[in-house]
Amino acid sequence: MTLEEMDSVLLKHKDMYMGQLFNFLKIKSISTDTGAIRQCAGVLKDDMEALGIRTRMMETDGNPVVYGELMNENNRFTLLIYGHYDVQAVEPLELWESDPFEPEIRNGRIYARGAGDNKGQLMAQLLGIKTYQKLYGELPINIKFVFEGEEELGSVHLPEFVDKNKALLEADLVYTADGSSHNSGNPLILLGVRGILNFEMTIKTADFDNHSGNTGNIVPNPVWKTIELLNTMRDENGNVLVEGFYDNIREPSQTDMRLLSSLPYDQKDIKEKIGFTDLNMDGETYYRKLTMEPTFNIAGMESGYTGDNAKTIIPSTATVSIDMRLVADQDPADIFRKIEAHVEEFDPDIKVTYRGAMHPSRTPSDLEIVQVVTDAVGEAYKKIPLVQPSMPGSLPDYVWTDYLGTPSIIMPYANFDQHNHSPNENLKVENFFGGIKCTCNLVKALGEYSKDS
Ligand SMILES: [Zn+2]
């Protein structure tokens, strides 16, 4: 099978493939609309069954997971494809140039809510399999499908679902087509995510705000106390001083470092994009800091008065909201305990409130399977993929790497400017068909790999 043969199948079935995507996009499956969610899950199930995938709807305490299997006992390799069929809300509606649930093609782009995130990419994967079947019939690998309906709510029930169904979901590789490709237009392969820990610290010194003269030097100021506390937690170079914070951090491998230094880096362009003109570091440092190092970020502080008129008070309370991006293999629960211990030692009266967390994940970049996928993607796009050992943000990728113990690769099919979560979300037609072709070529490559190994 050649890429030209794939192209000819795509060309021949272009309208049918597009029609199937449009039907899917028309369903208003906003995560919180349970009626539309169920309708969408049903349509997805039918589409999957039409491909010969044994499909069932699996209930969670929230929206159902559409689970499918395409198995053949002669196959030695099992791929698990993950995606989501729920979409974000559409407001503000007046900023859309066309109805978000009436897909429309303009200037080579499919405009609709969910076009890029994630229905278009999900459908590209199904149609990639269909394309393979049309060319070859029987698949050379087993494929399992987990399509959830709560990703846009933060994948609330996915960890529990995966944990409960470990045996069912057993696979050799998890593959996700979600997110946006690189702005250079080169395919981007992501091997992990940073985790996150959110918490809040509240310092209360008096029952109410006090007169800053009448009680000055008597009632302690909670803002000063917050500053003192924060100074014990992080030094001026950004090092976190909480004991044991760095204990479990996995050192980047040589391959990780090589990949980081080969990512494109245009300092001037980045400066403009992030509005920070003082940026001054080389590309390798930039990517290492973004992907391999944790952060200690103050997201906000609240206390006292900052209005126009003088208000001479000693505030009674101060609250500081923190988020930390964590890297493999930091455990958010462990880090939170260490923070509690640190604060407790500073002052046991300070309240530390947990606000949520997500584990980091990282699939080792030197695994053979990573190279197999990278080659297959590169071949399909005729461009060398950029491989990033981790993305800076957070996703529940740990459910695959930690719960299943399976390597996980994220390969975004959507265009860089897909405007997901915003008005006029779109997927370039070229990216949709690129994704179909990429999936088809991946199935072929994994088949060859499992035969050889
Ligand atoms: Zn999204």
Side-chain angles (χ1 to χ4, degrees):
M1 177 174 61
T2 63
L3 293 166
E4 286 65 39
E5 283 175 309
M6 279 184 216
D7 284 335
S8 72
V9 172
L10 295 189
L11 202 64
K12 193 167 143 204
H13 299 289
K14 195 173 179 198
D15 292 345
M16 183 178 65
Y17 284 5
M18 208 65 121
Q20 193 167 329
L21 173 62
F22 275 34
N23 275 338
F24 196 40
L25 290 173
K26 282 180 183 173
I27 309 163
K28 303 176 181 178
S29 58
I30 297 166
S31 321
T32 48
D33 183 341
T34 45
I37 278 284
R38 293 211 167 247
Q39 185 200 351
C40 190
V43 168
L44 179 56
K45 182 171 177 277
D46 293 345
D47 281 351
M48 289 164 71
E49 277 168 350
L51 297 182
I53 302 169
R54 232 181 36 191
T55 312
R56 57 184 156 130
M57 230 169 320
M58 292 179 72
E59 293 302 328
T60 68
D61 286 336
N63 297 337
V65 169
V66 181
Y67 174 76
E69 284 181 352
L70 206 48
M71 310 288 273
N72 177 334
E73 57 184 23
N74 298 321
N75 291 336
R76 278 186 285 171
F77 189 93
T78 302
L79 176 70
L80 190 153
I81 289 178
Y82 161 75
H84 66 95
Y85 63 86
D86 63 320
V87 299
Q88 284 270 331
V90 293
E91 286 77 18
L93 204 53
E94 65 276 13
L95 294 184
W96 285 79
E97 277 173 46
S98 55
D99 187 324
F101 294 108
E102 281 303 330
E104 197 177 284
I105 299 178
R106 298 193 300 273
N107 304 320
R109 292 171 189 246
I110 307 156
Y111 285 87
R113 172 55 90 227
D117 183 11
N118 175 242
K119 286 174 168 172
Q121 304 198 51
L122 185 163
M123 195 53 79
Q125 295 184 83
L126 288 181
L127 294 173
I129 291 160
K130 185 171 184 162
T131 303
Y132 187 97
Q133 287 172 330
K134 281 186 184 297
L135 278 163
Y136 256 114
E138 196 77 38
L139 291 187
I141 55 169
N142 297 324
I143 308 186
K144 296 177 177 177
F145 303 84
V146 171
F147 294 137
E148 70 154 319
E150 293 185 324
E151 199 271 349
E152 301 295 1
L153 298 175
S155 298
V156 202
H157 297 99
L158 185 69
E160 195 190 338
F161 174 82
V162 175
D163 195 34
K164 265 196 197 159
N165 294 289
K166 277 184 201 152
L168 180 74
L169 303 179
E170 208 177 299
D172 297 294
L173 174 69
V174 176
Y175 184 76
T176 303
D178 198 5
S180 313
S181 49
H182 197 265
N183 60 354
S184 65
N186 282 60
L188 175 67
I189 290 171
L190 298 157
L191 302 177
V193 300
R194 285 201 287 193
I196 191 165
L197 169 64
N198 289 304
F199 63 95
E200 215 171 77
M201 300 189 290
T202 305
I203 296 182
K204 181 169 185 282
T205 52
D207 291 340
F208 40 80
D209 295 351
N210 270 284
H211 191 290
S212 71
N214 294 348
T215 61
N217 290 340
I218 307 299
V219 176
N221 186 308
V223 181
W224 279 120
K225 210 158 169 185
T226 305
I227 292 167
E228 285 151 18
L229 167 63
L230 290 170
N231 276 327
T232 68
M233 298 178 86
R234 181 186 179 276
D235 71 17
E236 71 266 33
N237 298 319
N239 299 308
V240 178
L241 305 173
V242 176
E243 204 183 317
F245 182 80
Y246 294 101
D247 278 1
N248 301 311
I249 292 183
R250 199 193 305 175
E251 282 295 313
S253 66
Q254 275 182 333
T255 314
D256 289 338
M257 292 312 292
R258 182 176 55 74
L259 292 171
L260 290 179
S261 61
S262 57
L263 292 169
Y265 179 70
D266 179 344
Q267 187 167 278
K268 189 170 159 285
D269 181 56
I270 293 172
K271 274 183 187 180
E272 278 163 25
K273 285 208 171 96
I274 64 178
F276 173 59
T277 46
D278 288 345
L279 176 71
N280 183 20
M281 58 180 75
D282 59 75
E284 189 185 296
T285 310
Y286 173 83
Y287 284 112
R288 197 191 62 232
K289 282 180 176 294
L290 267 183
T291 61
M292 296 285 152
E293 293 179 11
T295 69
F296 183 157
N297 180 51
I298 301 171
M301 282 178 84
E302 210 174 312
S303 185
Y305 179 80
T306 56
D308 287 340
N309 305 313
K311 190 181 179 197
T312 48
I313 54 159
I314 301 171
S316 63
T317 58
T319 302
V320 53
S321 184
I322 309 280
D323 66 75
M324 291 177 155
R325 297 287 169 168
L326 305 178
V327 296
D329 297 302
Q330 289 179 301
D331 170 8
D334 172 61
I335 298 292
F336 185 66
R337 274 192 300 273
K338 286 169 175 164
I339 289 188
E340 280 182 312
H342 181 98
V343 177
E344 163 96 26
E345 204 189 306
F346 179 83
D347 181 345
D349 290 335
I350 296 172
K351 205 170 122 202
V352 185
T353 313
Y354 175 84
R355 290 280 181 232
M358 197 177 270
H359 287 254
S361 73
R362 198 182 305 151
T363 289
S365 54
D366 33 28
L367 291 182
E368 199 183 354
I369 193 68
V370 171
Q371 197 55 51
V372 174
V373 173
T374 307
D375 291 345
V377 169
E379 195 185 11
Y381 287 97
K382 296 193 175 103
K383 277 179 185 165
I384 296 169
L386 305 168
V387 183
Q388 201 169 309
S390 172
M391 63 182 236
S394 307
L395 280 177
D397 190 49
Y398 71 94
V399 300
W400 317 119
T401 54
D402 293 8
Y403 290 5
L404 297 185
T406 307
S408 168
I409 295 179
I410 302 163
M411 163 65 208
Y413 288 170
N415 32 292
F416 175 71
D417 53 354
Q418 59 165 316
H419 291 288
N420 47 334
H421 297 204
S422 299
N424 304 311
E425 178 176 352
N426 66 86
L427 176 67
K428 285 185 180 170
V429 175
E430 178 194 337
N431 283 61
F432 178 54
F433 284 95
I436 296 174
K437 195 167 158 183
C438 182
T439 310
C440 184
N441 201 48
L442 178 71
V443 169
K444 172 181 164 250
L446 292 175
E448 285 160 7
Y449 165 71
S450 63
K451 230 177 283 158
D452 296 345
S453 60

